Amino acid sequence: MTTQDLMQETVTALGANKVRSGLTMLGIVIGIGSVIAMVAIGNGAQASIQSSIQSLGSNLLIVTPGAQRNAGGFGVSSGRGAAKTITEADAVAVAGVPGVARVAQEISGRYQITAKGTNTNTTVDGVNSAFASIRNVAIDEGTFFSDSQSQALAKVAVIGPTTMTDLFGDTATASDVIGQQIRIKGAVFSVIGVTVSKGGSGFTNQDDIIYVPLRTAARYLAGDSYLTTMDIQATDADAMSSVQTDVTALLLERHKIQDPTQADFSVLNQADIVATASSVTGTFTLLLAAIAGISLLVGGIGIMNMMLTNVTERTREIGLRKAIGATESDISNQFLTESIVLTVLGGAIGILLGWLIASALTLTGLLTATVSLASVLTAFGVSAVIGITFGWYPARRAARMNPIDALRFE
Amino acid sequence: MIEVNDIRKTYHTGGDTVTHALDGVSFTIKDGEFVAIMGPSGSGKSTLMHILGCLDTPTSGTYVLDGEDASTLSGDRLADIRRRKIGFVFQSFNLLPRTTVLRNVMLPLTYANIPMEEREARAKASLAAAGLDESRFEHKSNQLSGGQIQRVAIARALVNDPALILADEPTGNLDTRTSEIVLATFEKLNREHGRTIILITHEQEVAEHARRIIRIRDGKIQSDSGDHARRIPNPEPSTV
């Protein structure tokens, strides 16, 4: 039997019961469609989380204070990050470690901010001037403050676009708010700059923030000069692990701690964060794909069910075909082709459906769902494999029929 | 040339019960004969038909069809012989539904790997030989009468140019008048085209259209009229 004969037979057979063929195919359409859409969503989430981590800056090590423990005593912990252990002097010392390009210092806290009768509560970050370049803070309008303004305890502020609209209304533009006064914890600051929007990240809104000079924050807001975060930028990605080791050793020595497990600070490597986030989103994608895969499995069982019904209904036809000389493989190929055509056609429509879902999600702006070529090819392969797998048993049953019994079948 | 030599077929139906459906059957049919195999139900004629049609093989004995021994083959080897040497006509027609007359007749050719271009001409020639009007070639089987359907089935049996046409109760589902037309078709094919035809039936009137009648009873040959013996009297009252 030629391929052309086979396809002609298949079209006739599937066309004979269009509703049943269509409904069976729908199972595969939904299965493949949801796998494609779910993988696209997973990939989109992964890309967006990675880009927001990268937007923090590149080649970063983040040092945060650890838990402070009572020396001796019961070792009561006050919790990570609560301790006041890192000083400006530590930052200066760290800047001397080989491989360190720049060190940003932060004293941050959340305060109530008022301006012209409106108010908001947001993060106020006291930072040195190196912070802007390390953390990719770009200025839309105005200027970032300098270290000399920090030395002079200047009460100036650079605000994020979200904070700007929270305080000055939705219609406020960056040029309008330069020179305006805002009040942070009772102190009056004048706005000298507005940052470029970085967009929301998976965890926090990086646009809802106010930057003030480091020492100003220490004096007027925090009340002490302990740093809440120190961001170290390594000269390049290769230097990061050696810098991490050296900085840890230096800080342990400066804090007079012998046992590294008792460190009163922690050093986070950005590469580790990216790796962790990737593995989390990877697992998440796998989970979504697995759930979608179950619907694909159910679709495959639907195919098998239909093909078995088909084989039973067409028993006499099979008997006739065998009587006029069809071999086992002729019969088997005929039914296998039917199920493969069903699943591959269903797979193609499913890919289209998944792509439509992904595109619709991207249009809503929630995340950029990207359908990769790999997932399309995999989906196509999987639907063909489902056709073969779930079509194999019914086809074999048809092929193995005894022609005498098949011809007598009522 | 069909040579059946001491064919036996036994079935083991549970426990020690052994049924001898065929119990030593031998005969020879030459090319161009028109033979009716007659017998009541349970006589073994269906079993004999299955063996002659290469749908089944005997427990012992030999069956040589057109120079090929088909008595020990199985599965696809039997299918191969059926494809090349045998054309079937069934009581229940067994045409494919939703398929045109022409495509139904071409079906055996698709399994025989006949080139696409050749198929239609051969199918049309067969249909003409079976006496179906050309205006019906594109009809589907549900648009045809019983007699027309059976002539399509006869055309399908002819299309592979088989050594043997095997008709199993071909008039069983037809009225008397249509039966006569179908049987006349067989006679014409035998007389004018020299086709070897074996007709399986339990009806005397149907069998009488053949030139030779072999009667089977209880798995044995009861009588064989030999060729050219038409309208021999029934040796005993019909049991059907």
PDB file of all heavy atoms in Angstrom, chain A residues 33-49 281-282 284-286 288-289 292 354-362 364 366-372 375:
ATOM      1  N   GLY A  33      -1.506  22.265  24.023  1.00  0.00           N
ATOM      2  CA  GLY A  33      -1.678  23.709  24.226  1.00  0.00           C
ATOM      3  C   GLY A  33      -1.275  24.128  25.623  1.00  0.00           C
ATOM      4  O   GLY A  33      -0.557  25.118  25.808  1.00  0.00           O
ATOM      5  N   SER A  34      -1.706  23.345  26.631  1.00  0.00           N
ATOM      6  CA  SER A  34      -1.371  23.752  27.997  1.00  0.00           C
ATOM      7  C   SER A  34       0.111  23.546  28.292  1.00  0.00           C
ATOM      8  O   SER A  34       0.722  24.359  28.985  1.00  0.00           O
ATOM      9  CB  SER A  34      -2.269  23.051  29.021  1.00  0.00           C
ATOM     10  OG  SER A  34      -2.280  21.682  28.803  1.00  0.00           O
ATOM     11  N   VAL A  35       0.709  22.483  27.724  1.00  0.00           N
ATOM     12  CA  VAL A  35       2.157  22.311  27.935  1.00  0.00           C
ATOM     13  C   VAL A  35       2.914  23.506  27.347  1.00  0.00           C
ATOM     14  O   VAL A  35       3.762  24.105  28.012  1.00  0.00           O
ATOM     15  CB  VAL A  35       2.670  20.988  27.302  1.00  0.00           C
ATOM     16  CG1 VAL A  35       4.188  20.956  27.294  1.00  0.00           C
ATOM     17  CG2 VAL A  35       2.141  19.797  28.066  1.00  0.00           C
ATOM     18  N   ILE A  36       2.570  23.878  26.120  1.00  0.00           N
ATOM     19  CA  ILE A  36       3.245  25.005  25.453  1.00  0.00           C
ATOM     20  C   ILE A  36       3.048  26.296  26.266  1.00  0.00           C
ATOM     21  O   ILE A  36       3.999  27.022  26.556  1.00  0.00           O
ATOM     22  CB  ILE A  36       2.688  25.192  24.017  1.00  0.00           C
ATOM     23  CG1 ILE A  36       3.070  24.008  23.144  1.00  0.00           C
ATOM     24  CG2 ILE A  36       3.158  26.499  23.403  1.00  0.00           C
ATOM     25  CD1 ILE A  36       4.419  24.091  22.511  1.00  0.00           C
ATOM     26  N   ALA A  37       1.808  26.548  26.678  1.00  0.00           N
ATOM     27  CA  ALA A  37       1.521  27.783  27.409  1.00  0.00           C
ATOM     28  C   ALA A  37       2.243  27.802  28.758  1.00  0.00           C
ATOM     29  O   ALA A  37       2.843  28.806  29.146  1.00  0.00           O
ATOM     30  CB  ALA A  37       0.017  27.934  27.602  1.00  0.00           C
ATOM     31  N   MET A  38       2.204  26.661  29.460  1.00  0.00           N
ATOM     32  CA  MET A  38       2.813  26.610  30.787  1.00  0.00           C
ATOM     33  C   MET A  38       4.330  26.790  30.711  1.00  0.00           C
ATOM     34  O   MET A  38       4.920  27.506  31.510  1.00  0.00           O
ATOM     35  CB  MET A  38       2.512  25.265  31.468  1.00  0.00           C
ATOM     36  CG  MET A  38       1.066  25.092  31.841  1.00  0.00           C
ATOM     37  SD  MET A  38       0.491  26.441  32.884  1.00  0.00           S
ATOM     38  CE  MET A  38      -1.236  26.362  32.609  1.00  0.00           C
ATOM     39  N   VAL A  39       4.956  26.135  29.750  1.00  0.00           N
ATOM     40  CA  VAL A  39       6.406  26.277  29.597  1.00  0.00           C
ATOM     41  C   VAL A  39       6.740  27.723  29.222  1.00  0.00           C
ATOM     42  O   VAL A  39       7.702  28.302  29.728  1.00  0.00           O
ATOM     43  CB  VAL A  39       6.958  25.271  28.562  1.00  0.00           C
ATOM     44  CG1 VAL A  39       8.406  25.565  28.229  1.00  0.00           C
ATOM     45  CG2 VAL A  39       6.834  23.856  29.100  1.00  0.00           C
ATOM     46  N   ALA A  40       5.899  28.329  28.379  1.00  0.00           N
ATOM     47  CA  ALA A  40       6.125  29.722  27.984  1.00  0.00           C
ATOM     48  C   ALA A  40       6.024  30.641  29.195  1.00  0.00           C
ATOM     49  O   ALA A  40       6.840  31.545  29.379  1.00  0.00           O
ATOM     50  CB  ALA A  40       5.118  30.134  26.914  1.00  0.00           C
ATOM     51  N   ILE A  41       5.021  30.385  30.049  1.00  0.00           N
ATOM     52  CA  ILE A  41       4.854  31.206  31.251  1.00  0.00           C
ATOM     53  C   ILE A  41       6.049  31.012  32.179  1.00  0.00           C
ATOM     54  O   ILE A  41       6.615  31.972  32.709  1.00  0.00           O
ATOM     55  CB  ILE A  41       3.529  30.841  31.963  1.00  0.00           C
ATOM     56  CG1 ILE A  41       2.347  31.316  31.125  1.00  0.00           C
ATOM     57  CG2 ILE A  41       3.481  31.445  33.357  1.00  0.00           C
ATOM     58  CD1 ILE A  41       1.014  30.740  31.567  1.00  0.00           C
ATOM     59  N   GLY A  42       6.451  29.760  32.360  1.00  0.00           N
ATOM     60  CA  GLY A  42       7.608  29.467  33.208  1.00  0.00           C
ATOM     61  C   GLY A  42       8.859  30.168  32.707  1.00  0.00           C
ATOM     62  O   GLY A  42       9.573  30.810  33.471  1.00  0.00           O
ATOM     63  N   ASN A  43       9.091  30.061  31.387  1.00  0.00           N
ATOM     64  CA  ASN A  43      10.271  30.713  30.807  1.00  0.00           C
ATOM     65  C   ASN A  43      10.193  32.222  30.976  1.00  0.00           C
ATOM     66  O   ASN A  43      11.197  32.878  31.266  1.00  0.00           O
ATOM     67  CB  ASN A  43      10.388  30.388  29.309  1.00  0.00           C
ATOM     68  CG  ASN A  43      10.852  28.967  29.081  1.00  0.00           C
ATOM     69  OD1 ASN A  43      11.381  28.329  29.992  1.00  0.00           O
ATOM     70  ND2 ASN A  43      10.647  28.463  27.882  1.00  0.00           N
ATOM     71  N   GLY A  44       8.985  32.769  30.787  1.00  0.00           N
ATOM     72  CA  GLY A  44       8.792  34.210  30.939  1.00  0.00           C
ATOM     73  C   GLY A  44       9.099  34.651  32.357  1.00  0.00           C
ATOM     74  O   GLY A  44       9.792  35.653  32.583  1.00  0.00           O
ATOM     75  N   ALA A  45       8.591  33.876  33.338  1.00  0.00           N
ATOM     76  CA  ALA A  45       8.828  34.211  34.744  1.00  0.00           C
ATOM     77  C   ALA A  45      10.320  34.145  35.044  1.00  0.00           C
ATOM     78  O   ALA A  45      10.881  35.034  35.706  1.00  0.00           O
ATOM     79  CB  ALA A  45       8.059  33.248  35.640  1.00  0.00           C
ATOM     80  N   GLN A  46      10.977  33.122  34.532  1.00  0.00           N
ATOM     81  CA  GLN A  46      12.414  32.956  34.751  1.00  0.00           C
ATOM     82  C   GLN A  46      13.186  34.151  34.186  1.00  0.00           C
ATOM     83  O   GLN A  46      14.029  34.730  34.857  1.00  0.00           O
ATOM     84  CB  GLN A  46      12.867  31.664  34.068  1.00  0.00           C
ATOM     85  CG  GLN A  46      14.290  31.271  34.397  1.00  0.00           C
ATOM     86  CD  GLN A  46      14.480  29.766  34.243  1.00  0.00           C
ATOM     87  OE1 GLN A  46      13.665  29.095  33.632  1.00  0.00           O
ATOM     88  NE2 GLN A  46      15.538  29.255  34.810  1.00  0.00           N
ATOM     89  N   ALA A  47      12.827  34.529  32.952  1.00  0.00           N
ATOM     90  CA  ALA A  47      13.522  35.653  32.313  1.00  0.00           C
ATOM     91  C   ALA A  47      13.294  36.927  33.104  1.00  0.00           C
ATOM     92  O   ALA A  47      14.221  37.723  33.307  1.00  0.00           O
ATOM     93  CB  ALA A  47      13.028  35.810  30.877  1.00  0.00           C
ATOM     94  N   SER A  48      12.060  37.130  33.586  1.00  0.00           N
ATOM     95  CA  SER A  48      11.779  38.386  34.275  1.00  0.00           C
ATOM     96  C   SER A  48      12.471  38.432  35.640  1.00  0.00           C
ATOM     97  O   SER A  48      12.992  39.469  36.039  1.00  0.00           O
ATOM     98  CB  SER A  48      10.266  38.590  34.368  1.00  0.00           C
ATOM     99  OG  SER A  48       9.833  38.520  35.687  1.00  0.00           O
ATOM    100  N   ILE A  49      12.520  37.279  36.329  1.00  0.00           N
ATOM    101  CA  ILE A  49      13.209  37.264  37.624  1.00  0.00           C
ATOM    102  C   ILE A  49      14.704  37.472  37.427  1.00  0.00           C
ATOM    103  O   ILE A  49      15.336  38.266  38.131  1.00  0.00           O
ATOM    104  CB  ILE A  49      12.916  35.942  38.370  1.00  0.00           C
ATOM    105  CG1 ILE A  49      11.465  35.939  38.839  1.00  0.00           C
ATOM    106  CG2 ILE A  49      13.853  35.775  39.560  1.00  0.00           C
ATOM    107  CD1 ILE A  49      10.989  34.615  39.364  1.00  0.00           C
ATOM    108  N   THR A 281      12.662  28.799  39.556  1.00  0.00           N
ATOM    109  CA  THR A 281      11.733  28.962  38.440  1.00  0.00           C
ATOM    110  C   THR A 281      11.768  27.742  37.522  1.00  0.00           C
ATOM    111  O   THR A 281      10.756  27.389  36.933  1.00  0.00           O
ATOM    112  CB  THR A 281      12.034  30.232  37.622  1.00  0.00           C
ATOM    113  OG1 THR A 281      13.421  30.229  37.295  1.00  0.00           O
ATOM    114  CG2 THR A 281      11.701  31.486  38.391  1.00  0.00           C
ATOM    115  N   GLY A 282      12.942  27.097  37.451  1.00  0.00           N
ATOM    116  CA  GLY A 282      13.035  25.878  36.650  1.00  0.00           C
ATOM    117  C   GLY A 282      12.125  24.802  37.210  1.00  0.00           C
ATOM    118  O   GLY A 282      11.391  24.138  36.476  1.00  0.00           O
ATOM    119  N   PHE A 284       9.555  25.290  39.051  1.00  0.00           N
ATOM    120  CA  PHE A 284       8.211  25.813  38.872  1.00  0.00           C
ATOM    121  C   PHE A 284       7.707  25.511  37.452  1.00  0.00           C
ATOM    122  O   PHE A 284       6.596  25.009  37.256  1.00  0.00           O
ATOM    123  CB  PHE A 284       8.313  27.316  39.177  1.00  0.00           C
ATOM    124  CG  PHE A 284       7.154  28.172  38.805  1.00  0.00           C
ATOM    125  CD1 PHE A 284       5.975  28.127  39.532  1.00  0.00           C
ATOM    126  CD2 PHE A 284       7.268  29.085  37.769  1.00  0.00           C
ATOM    127  CE1 PHE A 284       4.922  28.950  39.209  1.00  0.00           C
ATOM    128  CE2 PHE A 284       6.216  29.917  37.438  1.00  0.00           C
ATOM    129  CZ  PHE A 284       5.041  29.844  38.153  1.00  0.00           C
ATOM    130  N   THR A 285       8.580  25.740  36.476  1.00  0.00           N
ATOM    131  CA  THR A 285       8.238  25.441  35.080  1.00  0.00           C
ATOM    132  C   THR A 285       7.971  23.950  34.899  1.00  0.00           C
ATOM    133  O   THR A 285       6.997  23.550  34.262  1.00  0.00           O
ATOM    134  CB  THR A 285       9.384  25.854  34.137  1.00  0.00           C
ATOM    135  OG1 THR A 285       9.705  27.216  34.407  1.00  0.00           O
ATOM    136  CG2 THR A 285       8.993  25.717  32.686  1.00  0.00           C
ATOM    137  N   LEU A 286       8.838  23.148  35.516  1.00  0.00           N
ATOM    138  CA  LEU A 286       8.700  21.701  35.410  1.00  0.00           C
ATOM    139  C   LEU A 286       7.370  21.243  36.007  1.00  0.00           C
ATOM    140  O   LEU A 286       6.674  20.396  35.456  1.00  0.00           O
ATOM    141  CB  LEU A 286       9.861  21.047  36.160  1.00  0.00           C
ATOM    142  CG  LEU A 286      10.206  19.630  35.750  1.00  0.00           C
ATOM    143  CD1 LEU A 286      10.741  19.621  34.326  1.00  0.00           C
ATOM    144  CD2 LEU A 286      11.235  19.054  36.702  1.00  0.00           C
ATOM    145  N   LEU A 288       4.603  23.050  36.342  1.00  0.00           N
ATOM    146  CA  LEU A 288       3.510  23.450  35.446  1.00  0.00           C
ATOM    147  C   LEU A 288       3.425  22.502  34.253  1.00  0.00           C
ATOM    148  O   LEU A 288       2.345  22.050  33.877  1.00  0.00           O
ATOM    149  CB  LEU A 288       3.751  24.874  34.939  1.00  0.00           C
ATOM    150  CG  LEU A 288       3.540  26.004  35.934  1.00  0.00           C
ATOM    151  CD1 LEU A 288       3.899  27.325  35.296  1.00  0.00           C
ATOM    152  CD2 LEU A 288       2.104  26.036  36.418  1.00  0.00           C
ATOM    153  N   ALA A 289       4.614  22.191  33.687  1.00  0.00           N
ATOM    154  CA  ALA A 289       4.632  21.322  32.514  1.00  0.00           C
ATOM    155  C   ALA A 289       4.131  19.926  32.878  1.00  0.00           C
ATOM    156  O   ALA A 289       3.427  19.287  32.092  1.00  0.00           O
ATOM    157  CB  ALA A 289       6.033  21.245  31.932  1.00  0.00           C
ATOM    158  N   ALA A 292       0.393  20.012  33.087  1.00  0.00           N
ATOM    159  CA  ALA A 292      -0.122  20.049  31.721  1.00  0.00           C
ATOM    160  C   ALA A 292       0.087  18.693  31.042  1.00  0.00           C
ATOM    161  O   ALA A 292      -0.760  18.234  30.281  1.00  0.00           O
ATOM    162  CB  ALA A 292       0.557  21.150  30.923  1.00  0.00           C
ATOM    163  N   GLY A 354      -1.490  27.173  22.407  1.00  0.00           N
ATOM    164  CA  GLY A 354      -0.532  27.555  23.448  1.00  0.00           C
ATOM    165  C   GLY A 354       0.110  28.897  23.138  1.00  0.00           C
ATOM    166  O   GLY A 354       0.275  29.746  24.018  1.00  0.00           O
ATOM    167  N   TRP A 355       0.427  29.083  21.854  1.00  0.00           N
ATOM    168  CA  TRP A 355       1.047  30.336  21.432  1.00  0.00           C
ATOM    169  C   TRP A 355       0.074  31.497  21.629  1.00  0.00           C
ATOM    170  O   TRP A 355       0.453  32.575  22.088  1.00  0.00           O
ATOM    171  CB  TRP A 355       1.474  30.212  19.962  1.00  0.00           C
ATOM    172  CG  TRP A 355       2.072  31.457  19.419  1.00  0.00           C
ATOM    173  CD1 TRP A 355       3.345  31.922  19.612  1.00  0.00           C
ATOM    174  CD2 TRP A 355       1.423  32.430  18.599  1.00  0.00           C
ATOM    175  NE1 TRP A 355       3.514  33.111  18.966  1.00  0.00           N
ATOM    176  CE2 TRP A 355       2.351  33.446  18.332  1.00  0.00           C
ATOM    177  CE3 TRP A 355       0.124  32.528  18.075  1.00  0.00           C
ATOM    178  CZ2 TRP A 355       2.038  34.550  17.562  1.00  0.00           C
ATOM    179  CZ3 TRP A 355      -0.191  33.625  17.301  1.00  0.00           C
ATOM    180  CH2 TRP A 355       0.763  34.627  17.049  1.00  0.00           C
ATOM    181  N   LEU A 356      -1.219  31.249  21.328  1.00  0.00           N
ATOM    182  CA  LEU A 356      -2.229  32.286  21.518  1.00  0.00           C
ATOM    183  C   LEU A 356      -2.361  32.643  22.999  1.00  0.00           C
ATOM    184  O   LEU A 356      -2.441  33.824  23.348  1.00  0.00           O
ATOM    185  CB  LEU A 356      -3.590  31.811  20.980  1.00  0.00           C
ATOM    186  CG  LEU A 356      -3.778  31.901  19.469  1.00  0.00           C
ATOM    187  CD1 LEU A 356      -5.122  31.305  19.065  1.00  0.00           C
ATOM    188  CD2 LEU A 356      -3.703  33.350  19.009  1.00  0.00           C
ATOM    189  N   ILE A 357      -2.363  31.617  23.865  1.00  0.00           N
ATOM    190  CA  ILE A 357      -2.477  31.872  25.309  1.00  0.00           C
ATOM    191  C   ILE A 357      -1.279  32.692  25.777  1.00  0.00           C
ATOM    192  O   ILE A 357      -1.423  33.684  26.502  1.00  0.00           O
ATOM    193  CB  ILE A 357      -2.566  30.542  26.094  1.00  0.00           C
ATOM    194  CG1 ILE A 357      -3.886  29.836  25.788  1.00  0.00           C
ATOM    195  CG2 ILE A 357      -2.436  30.782  27.589  1.00  0.00           C
ATOM    196  CD1 ILE A 357      -3.998  28.441  26.361  1.00  0.00           C
ATOM    197  N   ALA A 358      -0.075  32.281  25.326  1.00  0.00           N
ATOM    198  CA  ALA A 358       1.135  32.988  25.723  1.00  0.00           C
ATOM    199  C   ALA A 358       1.096  34.437  25.242  1.00  0.00           C
ATOM    200  O   ALA A 358       1.427  35.370  25.985  1.00  0.00           O
ATOM    201  CB  ALA A 358       2.364  32.271  25.175  1.00  0.00           C
ATOM    202  N   SER A 359       0.648  34.630  23.999  1.00  0.00           N
ATOM    203  CA  SER A 359       0.584  35.986  23.447  1.00  0.00           C
ATOM    204  C   SER A 359      -0.427  36.839  24.212  1.00  0.00           C
ATOM    205  O   SER A 359      -0.178  38.003  24.509  1.00  0.00           O
ATOM    206  CB  SER A 359       0.187  35.952  21.971  1.00  0.00           C
ATOM    207  OG  SER A 359       1.058  35.135  21.264  1.00  0.00           O
ATOM    208  N   ALA A 360      -1.581  36.219  24.541  1.00  0.00           N
ATOM    209  CA  ALA A 360      -2.608  36.945  25.283  1.00  0.00           C
ATOM    210  C   ALA A 360      -2.066  37.375  26.641  1.00  0.00           C
ATOM    211  O   ALA A 360      -2.272  38.510  27.086  1.00  0.00           O
ATOM    212  CB  ALA A 360      -3.842  36.074  25.445  1.00  0.00           C
ATOM    213  N   LEU A 361      -1.309  36.457  27.287  1.00  0.00           N
ATOM    214  CA  LEU A 361      -0.727  36.786  28.601  1.00  0.00           C
ATOM    215  C   LEU A 361       0.291  37.906  28.481  1.00  0.00           C
ATOM    216  O   LEU A 361       0.359  38.795  29.331  1.00  0.00           O
ATOM    217  CB  LEU A 361      -0.047  35.551  29.177  1.00  0.00           C
ATOM    218  CG  LEU A 361      -0.880  34.772  30.169  1.00  0.00           C
ATOM    219  CD1 LEU A 361      -0.191  33.475  30.516  1.00  0.00           C
ATOM    220  CD2 LEU A 361      -1.114  35.596  31.430  1.00  0.00           C
ATOM    221  N   THR A 362       1.080  37.880  27.420  1.00  0.00           N
ATOM    222  CA  THR A 362       2.077  38.917  27.210  1.00  0.00           C
ATOM    223  C   THR A 362       1.386  40.264  27.005  1.00  0.00           C
ATOM    224  O   THR A 362       1.835  41.285  27.515  1.00  0.00           O
ATOM    225  CB  THR A 362       2.954  38.578  25.990  1.00  0.00           C
ATOM    226  OG1 THR A 362       3.474  37.267  26.183  1.00  0.00           O
ATOM    227  CG2 THR A 362       4.090  39.557  25.835  1.00  0.00           C
ATOM    228  N   THR A 364      -1.370  41.237  28.319  1.00  0.00           N
ATOM    229  CA  THR A 364      -1.864  41.790  29.581  1.00  0.00           C
ATOM    230  C   THR A 364      -0.744  42.482  30.346  1.00  0.00           C
ATOM    231  O   THR A 364      -1.005  43.230  31.275  1.00  0.00           O
ATOM    232  CB  THR A 364      -2.441  40.690  30.491  1.00  0.00           C
ATOM    233  OG1 THR A 364      -1.366  39.805  30.842  1.00  0.00           O
ATOM    234  CG2 THR A 364      -3.539  39.914  29.819  1.00  0.00           C
ATOM    235  N   LEU A 366       1.462  41.152  32.298  1.00  0.00           N
ATOM    236  CA  LEU A 366       1.868  40.492  33.542  1.00  0.00           C
ATOM    237  C   LEU A 366       3.288  39.954  33.428  1.00  0.00           C
ATOM    238  O   LEU A 366       4.102  40.116  34.327  1.00  0.00           O
ATOM    239  CB  LEU A 366       0.911  39.340  33.869  1.00  0.00           C
ATOM    240  CG  LEU A 366      -0.442  39.770  34.426  1.00  0.00           C
ATOM    241  CD1 LEU A 366      -1.371  38.577  34.549  1.00  0.00           C
ATOM    242  CD2 LEU A 366      -0.265  40.439  35.785  1.00  0.00           C
ATOM    243  N   LEU A 367       3.558  39.302  32.315  1.00  0.00           N
ATOM    244  CA  LEU A 367       4.917  38.826  32.077  1.00  0.00           C
ATOM    245  C   LEU A 367       5.072  38.517  30.597  1.00  0.00           C
ATOM    246  O   LEU A 367       4.081  38.389  29.881  1.00  0.00           O
ATOM    247  CB  LEU A 367       5.262  37.600  32.927  1.00  0.00           C
ATOM    248  CG  LEU A 367       4.778  36.221  32.501  1.00  0.00           C
ATOM    249  CD1 LEU A 367       5.427  35.174  33.380  1.00  0.00           C
ATOM    250  CD2 LEU A 367       3.285  36.105  32.627  1.00  0.00           C
ATOM    251  N   THR A 368       6.304  38.440  30.152  1.00  0.00           N
ATOM    252  CA  THR A 368       6.550  38.143  28.749  1.00  0.00           C
ATOM    253  C   THR A 368       6.688  36.639  28.600  1.00  0.00           C
ATOM    254  O   THR A 368       7.729  36.067  28.882  1.00  0.00           O
ATOM    255  CB  THR A 368       7.840  38.842  28.275  1.00  0.00           C
ATOM    256  OG1 THR A 368       7.789  40.182  28.740  1.00  0.00           O
ATOM    257  CG2 THR A 368       7.943  38.820  26.779  1.00  0.00           C
ATOM    258  N   ALA A 369       5.590  35.986  28.173  1.00  0.00           N
ATOM    259  CA  ALA A 369       5.623  34.539  27.978  1.00  0.00           C
ATOM    260  C   ALA A 369       6.207  34.254  26.603  1.00  0.00           C
ATOM    261  O   ALA A 369       5.711  34.762  25.604  1.00  0.00           O
ATOM    262  CB  ALA A 369       4.218  33.966  28.091  1.00  0.00           C
ATOM    263  N   THR A 370       7.290  33.495  26.576  1.00  0.00           N
ATOM    264  CA  THR A 370       7.943  33.248  25.296  1.00  0.00           C
ATOM    265  C   THR A 370       7.848  31.772  24.916  1.00  0.00           C
ATOM    266  O   THR A 370       8.248  30.905  25.682  1.00  0.00           O
ATOM    267  CB  THR A 370       9.428  33.642  25.358  1.00  0.00           C
ATOM    268  OG1 THR A 370       9.947  33.188  26.615  1.00  0.00           O
ATOM    269  CG2 THR A 370       9.598  35.135  25.268  1.00  0.00           C
ATOM    270  N   VAL A 371       7.279  31.505  23.733  1.00  0.00           N
ATOM    271  CA  VAL A 371       7.199  30.139  23.208  1.00  0.00           C
ATOM    272  C   VAL A 371       8.511  29.854  22.495  1.00  0.00           C
ATOM    273  O   VAL A 371       8.839  30.509  21.511  1.00  0.00           O
ATOM    274  CB  VAL A 371       6.020  29.990  22.230  1.00  0.00           C
ATOM    275  CG1 VAL A 371       5.983  28.588  21.657  1.00  0.00           C
ATOM    276  CG2 VAL A 371       4.715  30.317  22.931  1.00  0.00           C
ATOM    277  N   SER A 372       9.274  28.906  23.023  1.00  0.00           N
ATOM    278  CA  SER A 372      10.563  28.617  22.397  1.00  0.00           C
ATOM    279  C   SER A 372      10.396  27.582  21.289  1.00  0.00           C
ATOM    280  O   SER A 372       9.467  26.770  21.315  1.00  0.00           O
ATOM    281  CB  SER A 372      11.542  28.118  23.447  1.00  0.00           C
ATOM    282  OG  SER A 372      11.090  26.898  23.965  1.00  0.00           O
ATOM    283  N   SER A 375      10.349  24.056  22.598  1.00  0.00           N
ATOM    284  CA  SER A 375       9.114  23.501  23.154  1.00  0.00           C
ATOM    285  C   SER A 375       8.138  23.150  22.036  1.00  0.00           C
ATOM    286  O   SER A 375       7.380  22.191  22.146  1.00  0.00           O
ATOM    287  CB  SER A 375       8.494  24.450  24.182  1.00  0.00           C
ATOM    288  OG  SER A 375       8.057  25.637  23.585  1.00  0.00           O
TER     289      SER A 375
END
